[in-house]
Amino acid sequence: MVQKRKPDEGAIEEEETFVRGGGSGLAPVVKKQLEQEAYAEAEADLLAGSSKKGGKRRKSDASGAAAAGVGDEEDAFFRGLALQDKLPKYVELLKFRNLSRGCKLWGAVIEVTPRELVVSLPHGLRGQVPYGEASDFLHEQSKKAALADAEADVHAAAEAGGKQSSSGKKRKAPGPGAAALPALIDLFSIGQLVRATVTAARSGGGNEAGNDQAGAKAAGADAKDGSKKKATKRVMLSLRVSKMNGGLGPESLQGGMALPACVRSVEDHGFTLALGIKGVSGFLSKKEAAAAGRPLAPGVLLDVVVPAGGAPKPAGGGSSVVNVSCLPEAVATAVSHAWEGLNIGSLLPGQLVTARVRNVLSDGLLCSFLTYFSGTVDPFHLGTDLTADWRKQFSPNQRLRARILFVDPETKRVGLSLQRHLLADTLPPNFPMLGQVFSEAVVRRVDEGLGLLLELPAEAPATTPLTPGYAHISNLGEDKVEDIGKRFRPGQKLRARVLGFRPMDGLAVLSLKPSVVDSHILSIADIRPGMPLSATVLRVDEYWLLIAVTSSIRALVPLLHASDTGSAKALRKFKEGQKVAGKVLTVDAASKKVTVTLKPSLVGSKLRTMASFKDAMVGVRSHGVVTGAEDRGVFVSFFGGLSGLAHLSECGLAEGQKPGESFKVGQVVKCRVLGADPSRKGLKLSLVAKAKATAEPAAADAAAEGAPAAAAASALLASYQLGQLVHGTVTAVHTAKSSSGDTAPAYYELSVAPAAAASGEAVAAAPSAVGRLEVAHLADHPAAQAAMVASLAVGTQLGPLMVLQHLEKSKQLRLTRKASMLAAAEAGVLPSTLEGVAQGAVMPGYVASITNDSVFVRYLGGLTGRAGLAQLSDTFVADPHQLFREGQSVRTTVVQVDAEKQRFGVALKQSLCSSRNADYLQSLFSDLEYAESLSTDVATADWGALAIGSVVPGEVHEVKDFGLLCDLDAHDDVVGMATRHQLPEDVAYEAGTKFRAVVLDSNKAQGIVELSMQPRLLQAAAAATAAAAGEPQQQPHKKQKKQKKAAAAGSAAATAGGTADVALAEGQQVDATVELLREEGYCVTSIAASGGGASCSVPLGFLPTADFNLQHQPRRDIQVGQTLSVRVAALPSPATGGRLLLAMPQAAKPARPAAARPAGGKGQPAQPQPPAAGSCVQATVGAVHALHADLELEGGFHGRLYITEASSPLSDLRTGAQLPVAVLGRAPMVAGRRHALFDCSNRPDVVAAAKAGEALPKARQPSWSTLKPGESLQGFVQEVERGYVWCAFSTSIRGRAFATQASSSIDECERLTKRYQPGQAVHAVVLHVDAQRHALDVSLQPAVPGAVPTAAAGAASTDADADADAAAAAAAAAPKAGSVVLGRITAVGGGGVRVQLSARCTGRVALTDIHDSAVQQVLAGLEEGQYCRAAVLGPDPACSQTSSSGKGGSKGGKGKGGKGKGGKGGKDSSKDSGADNSSQLLLSLRPAAGGQCAAHAAAAAAEQQVAGLAPGQLQPKSLKPGQKVAGYVKSAGQAGVFVCLARNLDARIRLSQLANGFVESPAEAFPEGRLVAGQVLSVEGDKVELTLRTRNAGPSLDSLEEGQVVRGKVKKVAAFGVFVELDGQPGGSVTGLAHLSEVADDFVSELAELFTPGQRVVARVLKVDAGAGRLSLGLKPSYFEGLSDEEGEDGGSKGGSDEDFDADLVAAAAGSDGSDDSDEEEGAKESSEGDSDVSLEASEDGEAGPEGFDLDEELAAEESASDEDSD
């Protein structure tokens, strides 16, 4: 067989089958006529040839025959290809093996390196673009540089006497005249869409599509390695426009055409562009270039568009120039059109074309475009919703817009894309993060033999959903998956991890392999120096090992690190495939290089791993590798490229001994860090085993002995113990530039003295040391830090401070003023060594450093713990920098202590580390008051008169958008502010208005007071004042002393601004209403008066909305006006400015506090033993929640008293109360982890048994194994959320009751949160149990009498006990037909209304079953989430016949503003609730049937009811052509308007039948739910066609508008134009003129050859001159390119004119009436009975038929009568 010769590189391969191009001497009219005759003759020959072969002749549809009759070239052409079996039967994806040279692809740049570009291609392919092929400019510059280098080499060789230079010599630098090549990163950007041409496709060492020098080198390297090397595949691409646009000519540059271009040079007024078209260049003005959005330089690629009329203009020298534009909107919307000479080599990827669906294939679409071209759309580029069936969204002859994805001239294959983002010329907007793990990825499509398409759920509500993902068959499991369909199914939820992205396909690459999902290494970004890992040996070389870390990550082991000796002999012990363990030496993410060490001494080292300067703290010991030994010392390297020098004096050598004699290169040594110098990138090390000097004398003794000053300073630092409290005086302020460029304080230098010396006590020797206090250590809260910075100056005295760390290098003490750390140190729970760290301890600290995958927290003495990503938050964390800042105060819980490796791990999760009290807020207010006391500003404001909660008078100064700015009478310099929420609604304020307001909060530093003018707060203040004034004066003698103490306390609080009611006590539960939200992380609340005190102010409380670990992510669920149940945390005190501090109980998992130990003691104290199950212990109530109380048990353990184990209501418990409890045991395990809580009970019988040492009574609690439907349970309400009442029945069992199963009316459903309060006791009946998934559905209402059991209930009734079966069936029953039930609307759309009746039962309401009578808009008033009452009609037949019901209304419809299936949001809520389609019912909302919904009130308010035709129940056989019917619009689109006539009967109205004129936008003219009335045009089976057209008098000049599309017939053909009579009544129509220049896009010499009198035409109105009675029309085909076939069809189809339309109706009616005598008798019977609802014909007076008419009964009677007549 002779192989086909491949074309040369760069050659344009002409299309073999259809040769086009060049000019023609024939006139356009003659040419068109000849083409029509030729195609007609070719089609006749094809039909004759197929009939001679003997098989059955293929049937063609009516539209095809009509098109052939009128000479439709495109239809005839593709029909001929179909007869020849040349059209594709399936979609072939783009694969590596079928790529050929010259194939043009559309791609996106995903990586830019100095040498090449990496481009993502369609269908998951990836290609590389060498530097010289990135653009034509770079290609030319590369050639010039190569030529200059060659000349330089020749010149150098000539100077050397002709001798060739050795290979080791470096190439000389280019001369001064040589220009530097531009960098690719300056010309290209990540995500840039590019058009590429395949130049070669190499597999292994060969080069399939070319044999260049690089391919030959690769082939030689592969041959040298042998067959063991895995073959690699590389697709080499070129972005040169000369290759991409080589098939274009000057005649192709038509207006509106988009094509790629390359910037060639920069001129004064713009840029010259290379278009790749011979003899034509482009010019882009600087004004137009501004729209590019990036700087343009030579070599930049961009897409440009030729403006209208922008033909090339001669520029001299035989060349021409065309002006272009790069406006993104113009480029994105540029549609390509056919032109003379178009062939497959002229098609460009990325072109936007108008395509027409030819066939819906099993795996995609076959489309035609540009007349003679066909392309396929694969399943990845259909652009449809994941939950929708794409086959139902496309139909033959449907027109749509598409982008060309790839063009293969050799195989003549063209791929198209309908992806929305590609149509908009952009990439997908919302990709998931690389490496992100999804626990519930939903399978949406199963591609047998290929993979799975999965929907990725978003963790938080997003503006756009996440891009879907695709798991290839190779990534579905650890083993090979043979049959995907049997193992996976749509709707299944799987765990998946993101491996990469396919931008062109709009997909994320997923893997379902458990080893990949759970792996901690996914890419090089996950590898860090010092990380231990395991790998597999791939290759053993003479000087290195190549190992595989993962399937895609390779690492290199240098010879020096292959063993402890570092010899070449050690490499012989390694074999290919061997498993090895090592540690990462270095990571270079840019070049993707990883080096690993296999030295056993390093891999097994238990010392600290040093990989950065942050790890290299003074005194740290670690192992390193000797890299050199010189006379001055030994060089040692560590991980991450860290290295240092051990001076000769620190090598531990004998006198006269040289380092090279004792230390060899590659030797592993133990080092100690003496110092670090990041500026020089080096460490000062010591190789001495122990320090030479360990003396710790006092500073005075050292000075007396004449020790050096450095030793004296070190001794002075050592005299201050870690954790010691000191005082200091600011001596200097050191500043630094911030990220914004401003200069700000960085740290303060202090003169430090012990606290006792500062207080004046007698101390033997109190030497002054130098302290360093960073800004981050001034306070816990950032706002307090800023206040302290504003108050500090040189000379300011601070105290108390705590010694945090000794800084040996700078001879300073690192100090802190953080209140959290000072309190922990005072309690003795702040460790300084690893021995003092206990697992489970809660310790405060500060953030020392943050990396991409962890946060390091530091304590005393540099002791540091690590918190990984999984321990940072209770939710997923992608970037730790977004949650934490360096220096931030945090609370940590120790989760792991590794004594061998001298490290420990901590957790920062709020559930483990939250502060139960208001410590964070108390620290803020205390520090603010302290900063105010340090301020040197003269205090002129009387803050005592502006106490919080007091009433102050004032005057409005200015009205702002946010509220009011006020002047206060108390002080002129204080500004009052009142937000909109704190103003009464019925009062209008303006400048000068007098008022009285309550003080909510104050900022003394800024002189601002927050005010409230709410009447309820003013009334509460007045009541408090009256109560204080009416206090009795005479009291018994004993009580007077207490009263005096209380008065003194109240006076102190008032002095400090105190406002709290004296009756409040710490730990008391109160209700607080949020009045003001502050950005500082707290809110101001008002507390209901307790009535026990005498305060003259409103009781206000301050509640934190942030915490130590949540400083940068405060709570967002607290709103102004919300009422919360809170606990009093701290009473007002002068330290907090007289503020009452509150705390809100958090659903947090308690953590064990750190055990106290003596200050300064070493060693870990004895750990208390946990309480044993069955023992009786004393407990302290920590917090009281709705369903349980937190207990503090003996020994520092935590317990939980559940509501079912309490002897009295939990509301009777008080915080701090003591009570005996019996320990039941540890709480159940969660996710396989041991719980830290102990379940307790204080029931008298249980406590008595525990004290007596007897067995505890068994708890009366249900279990998952014994639960069954119908069982009665006693429980307690836990929460009400999203329409469900969640109830707890034991510590481990909770269930949900849907709103309709917890209420008896719509009003109760809407007030669900008020009816069911947390902690409320309820009685429930089990409906459904899934013990495996721990899912429980219950009902809080009695069972519906006469209910019919569902399939699930019937399957569950297999128990032998008949009574249990009956109870289960009654409980899990579904409502039967005729019953009225409650439900919640989950979707509203053209497909009807979807109603959720229970957690596992849904229903559907057809559009015709919402109102009793017709309304103009049937969906008005209905929204998702509303509750309704519906009548059950029976099982939904559309549910069981979804596959064959067509458009029966089973879909949820688009919904209002939604997308896809299911109404609003495009999602069916029943899926989330676990609803089963088998239990879907057909419902009715009609009031006559007992229904009730918001649509009824909306229709009555809008007076929408129409007393005309009413949609009723119809059957297709009861309809006749010409009969008047009405229905509601389901959807409108290019296929027409679909109307719901009955519950399961739809009709279609074609676009041409929507109105007498042209409908510009059917979707806007016919919205979903609109009432329409028309006539039956045809009935074929269950398919009904309607028409809305009526006869009219035709248009008039006054009614016509420019641009309007009209129809008519040719009245006269003249030499200068064509007269067209518009459709209308004879004698009353309007006639217009289509001038000779407006009849065709090309020149026409003879109009009579194209038009004849009486011919039907479509025209566009160009100009209307009503005064002169003139009408100008246009007949150019280009005027109608945007119209569909049905919009622009002429008189050849139904309804061409009113006369034809009426004739069709009469003919159809006559044919139907004469077909069967029984139909006439049936029609006569209908007329005699006056059945107006059945026929839907209005009476003469316009009234509809009788109300209360039962259509079901009448239709049944009518059918029986018809059967009798037929018999």
Side-chain angles (χ1 to χ4, degrees), residues 453-477:
L453 180 68
L454 298 99
E455 179 182 0
L456 304 180
E459 296 185 358
T463 55
T464 55
L466 288 179
T467 302
Y470 198 85
H472 191 260
I473 187 173
S474 59
N475 289 324
L476 297 183

Side-chain angles (χ1 to χ4, degrees), residues 1050-1131:
S1051 176
T1055 302
T1059 63
D1061 196 335
V1062 296
L1064 296 176
E1066 290 188 5
Q1068 180 179 346
Q1069 295 288 132
V1070 295
D1071 291 336
T1073 303
V1074 180
E1075 303 291 347
L1076 181 67
L1077 289 174
R1078 297 301 301 267
E1079 296 180 354
E1080 290 82 358
Y1082 67 92
C1083 62
V1084 184
T1085 65
S1086 60
I1087 304 173
S1090 58
S1095 176
C1096 298
S1097 59
V1098 179
L1100 299 177
F1102 293 78
L1103 180 69
T1105 59
D1107 205 350
F1108 288 97
N1109 299 0
L1110 300 178
Q1111 296 184 20
H1112 303 285
Q1113 48 175 348
R1115 297 183 58 171
R1116 305 295 184 187
D1117 56 341
I1118 298 179
Q1119 304 295 331
V1120 174
Q1122 185 178 359
T1123 301
L1124 306 171
S1125 178
V1126 298
R1127 174 174 52 87
V1128 177
L1131 295 177

Side-chain angles (χ1 to χ4, degrees), residues 625-805:
V625 179
V626 175
T627 56
E630 298 180 358
D631 293 342
R632 56 173 176 166
V634 177
F635 293 93
V636 182
S637 66
F638 304 92
F639 298 93
L642 194 65
S643 61
L645 172 66
H647 193 264
L648 179 63
S649 60
E650 295 293 340
C651 292
L653 301 176
E655 186 176 356
Q657 189 177 7
K658 294 184 178 181
E661 299 175 357
S662 300
F663 300 96
K664 304 299 181 183
V665 175
Q667 179 181 348
V668 178
V669 295
K670 185 184 297 184
C671 309
R672 180 166 53 90
V673 179
L674 299 179
D677 190 356
S679 61
R680 296 184 179 180
K681 299 182 179 180
L683 302 176
K684 294 181 180 179
L685 305 174
S686 174
L687 304 182
V688 181
K690 294 183 179 179
K692 294 181 179 180
T694 57
E696 298 179 355
D701 296 339
E705 295 176 2
S714 299
L716 179 60
L717 292 182
S719 64
Y720 287 88
Q721 300 295 327
L722 296 176
Q724 180 180 349
L725 297 182
V726 297
H727 283 73
T729 302
V730 179
T731 59
V733 181
H734 297 266
T735 60
K737 285 190 176 182
S738 61
S739 57
S740 59
D742 301 331
T743 301
Y747 70 92
Y748 297 87
E749 189 173 318
L750 291 84
S751 175
V752 178
S759 62
E761 299 180 6
V763 179
S768 176
V770 179
R772 176 189 178 101
L773 181 61
E774 282 95 348
V775 172
H777 283 279
L778 289 174
D780 286 318
H781 199 288
Q785 296 171 8
M788 290 292 295
V789 169
S791 302
L792 291 181
V794 176
T796 303
Q797 295 184 357
L798 291 176
L801 307 172
M802 186 182 70
V803 178
L804 195 60
Q805 188 179 0

Side-chain angles (χ1 to χ4, degrees), residues 763-973:
V763 179
S768 176
V770 179
R772 176 189 178 101
L773 181 61
E774 282 95 348
V775 172
H777 283 279
L778 289 174
D780 286 318
H781 199 288
Q785 296 171 8
M788 290 292 295
V789 169
S791 302
L792 291 181
V794 176
T796 303
Q797 295 184 357
L798 291 176
L801 307 172
M802 186 182 70
V803 178
L804 195 60
Q805 188 179 0
H806 294 153
L807 303 178
E808 295 289 345
K809 182 177 180 180
S810 59
K811 306 302 179 184
Q812 294 178 338
L813 297 175
R814 172 165 286 163
L815 307 175
T816 183
R817 213 193 137 270
K818 293 180 179 288
S820 59
M821 301 192 70
L822 265 67
E826 186 177 359
V829 294
L830 194 63
S832 59
T833 60
L834 187 65
E835 289 76 11
V837 179
Q839 186 170 350
V842 179
M843 307 181 302
Y846 69 95
V847 177
S849 61
I850 305 173
T851 64
N852 292 332
D853 60 349
S854 57
V855 173
F856 294 90
V857 182
R858 193 159 292 168
Y859 308 92
L860 282 179
L863 181 66
T864 306
R866 178 182 178 272
L869 281 178
Q871 300 295 341
L872 297 183
S873 176
D874 294 301
T875 59
F876 176 76
V877 177
D879 185 7
H881 296 83
Q882 298 179 357
L883 303 184
F884 300 96
R885 303 290 187 271
E886 291 189 4
Q888 174 183 339
S889 300
V890 292
R891 283 171 57 90
T892 62
T893 298
V894 180
V895 296
Q896 183 184 10
V897 179
D898 191 343
E900 295 182 358
K901 297 184 178 179
Q902 292 292 300
R903 62 187 183 187
F904 65 99
V906 297
L908 299 176
K909 293 181 178 180
Q910 188 67 6
S911 59
L912 296 175
C913 310
S914 63
S915 55
R916 298 187 178 182
N917 296 321
D919 298 338
Y920 183 62
L921 197 57
Q922 188 171 8
S923 173
L924 168 64
F925 293 134
S926 299
D927 290 337
L928 290 179
E929 294 296 326
Y930 183 76
E932 180 65 19
S933 65
L934 296 178
S935 177
T936 57
D937 296 339
V938 180
T940 57
D942 183 11
W943 292 106
L946 300 175
I948 295 174
S950 61
V951 179
V952 295
E955 180 181 339
V956 177
H957 179 78
E958 187 178 359
V959 180
K960 295 286 188 178
D961 294 338
F962 60 85
L964 303 178
L965 290 179
C966 308
D967 298 328
L968 303 181
D969 297 345
H971 200 280
D972 295 338
D973 294 336

Side-chain angles (χ1 to χ4, degrees), residues 941 943 946 950 952-960 962-980 982-983 989 993 995-1004 1006-1013 1076 1078:
W943 292 106
L946 300 175
S950 61
V952 295
E955 180 181 339
V956 177
H957 179 78
E958 187 178 359
V959 180
K960 295 286 188 178
F962 60 85
L964 303 178
L965 290 179
C966 308
D967 298 328
L968 303 181
D969 297 345
H971 200 280
D972 295 338
D973 294 336
V974 178
V975 178
M977 298 179 62
T979 62
R980 293 288 183 185
Q982 299 303 324
L983 301 179
Y989 291 92
T993 303
F995 64 83
R996 290 175 60 82
V998 177
V999 178
L1000 296 180
D1001 196 8
S1002 60
N1003 188 330
K1004 298 179 181 179
Q1006 299 181 2
I1008 298 176
V1009 175
E1010 298 285 350
L1011 305 175
S1012 176
M1013 304 175 190
L1076 181 67
R1078 297 301 301 267

Side-chain angles (χ1 to χ4, degrees), residues 381-465:
H381 288 268
L382 293 172
T384 57
D385 296 331
L386 297 180
T387 58
D389 186 359
W390 64 269
R391 294 176 181 83
K392 296 183 179 180
Q393 301 184 23
F394 300 98
S395 59
N397 294 325
Q398 180 180 349
R399 287 189 180 273
L400 37 80
R401 289 289 172 87
R403 292 268 185 191
I404 297 179
L405 202 59
F406 65 88
V407 180
D408 191 347
E410 182 174 338
T411 61
K412 306 226 172 10
R413 289 193 306 132
V414 180
L416 303 177
S417 175
L418 307 181
Q419 287 280 17
R420 297 183 180 92
H421 63 274
L422 293 183
L423 292 179
D425 204 23
T426 59
L427 291 179
N430 198 9
F431 270 117
M433 291 176 293
L434 183 65
Q436 185 174 355
V437 177
F438 293 90
S439 58
E440 292 186 348
V442 184
V443 178
R444 292 304 182 191
R445 194 178 74 217
V446 179
D447 297 334
E448 194 63 43
L450 190 58
L452 302 176
L453 180 68
L454 298 99
E455 179 182 0
L456 304 180
E459 296 185 358
T463 55
T464 55

Side-chain angles (χ1 to χ4, degrees), residues 105-402:
L105 308 168
W106 202 21
V109 178
I110 58 175
E111 187 177 349
V112 182
T113 65
R115 297 183 178 182
E116 66 178 8
L117 301 174
V118 181
V119 179
S120 176
L121 303 175
H123 304 156
L125 295 179
R126 179 176 295 188
Q128 287 78 28
V129 182
Y131 182 89
E133 294 294 328
S135 68
D136 291 272
F137 177 81
L138 297 181
H139 182 72
E140 296 174 0
Q141 295 298 318
S142 299
K143 281 187 175 180
K144 293 179 180 179
L147 182 60
D149 290 343
E151 293 178 353
D153 291 342
V154 172
H155 183 67
E159 290 182 352
K163 296 182 180 180
Q164 296 182 356
S165 60
S166 62
S167 59
K169 283 188 176 182
K170 295 184 180 180
R171 177 176 292 178
K172 292 185 178 180
L181 296 177
L184 291 178
I185 192 63
D186 298 331
L187 305 180
F188 296 89
S189 59
I190 303 297
Q192 179 180 348
L193 292 173
V194 294
R195 312 176 201 230
T197 305
V198 177
T199 58
R202 303 183 185 130
S203 177
N207 186 9
E208 295 182 357
N211 188 18
D212 54 11
Q213 186 177 358
K217 291 181 179 180
D222 292 342
K224 183 177 180 179
D225 294 339
S227 59
K228 294 183 180 179
K229 180 182 177 182
K230 182 180 178 180
T232 58
K233 298 178 181 180
R234 289 176 60 89
V235 180
M236 306 307 298
L237 305 174
S238 174
L239 304 185
R240 294 169 55 188
V241 295
S242 59
K243 293 185 177 181
M244 178 60 59
N245 300 340
L248 301 178
E251 67 279 1
S252 63
L253 296 177
Q254 300 179 350
M257 181 181 181
L259 71 162
C262 174
V263 178
R264 178 186 297 168
S265 63
V266 182
E267 307 298 337
D268 294 338
H269 301 287
F271 303 86
T272 58
L273 308 178
L275 302 181
I277 303 176
K278 186 176 181 179
V280 181
S281 60
F283 181 78
L284 180 66
S285 64
K286 289 190 175 181
K287 181 179 180 181
E288 293 283 349
R294 54 173 176 157
L296 299 183
V300 171
L301 294 181
L302 72 162
D303 289 344
V304 297
V305 62
V306 180
K313 300 178 180 179
S319 62
S320 57
V321 178
V322 59
N323 293 323
V324 296
S325 173
C326 65
L327 289 173
E329 298 83 3
V331 173
T333 57
V335 182
S336 300
H337 304 288
W339 48 277
E340 190 78 14
L342 177 65
N343 57 40
I344 196 169
S346 306
L347 298 180
L348 303 178
Q351 278 184 325
L352 184 64
V353 297
T354 300
R356 183 176 179 181
V357 179
R358 285 292 169 184
N359 193 8
V360 179
L361 307 176
S362 60
D363 56 351
L365 303 176
L366 174 63
C367 301
S368 62
F369 63 98
L370 298 180
T371 307
Y372 298 114
F373 296 100
S374 64
T376 56
V377 183
D378 59 84
F380 301 109
H381 288 268
L382 293 172
T384 57
D385 296 331
L386 297 180
T387 58
D389 186 359
W390 64 269
R391 294 176 181 83
K392 296 183 179 180
Q393 301 184 23
F394 300 98
S395 59
N397 294 325
Q398 180 180 349
R399 287 189 180 273
L400 37 80
R401 289 289 172 87

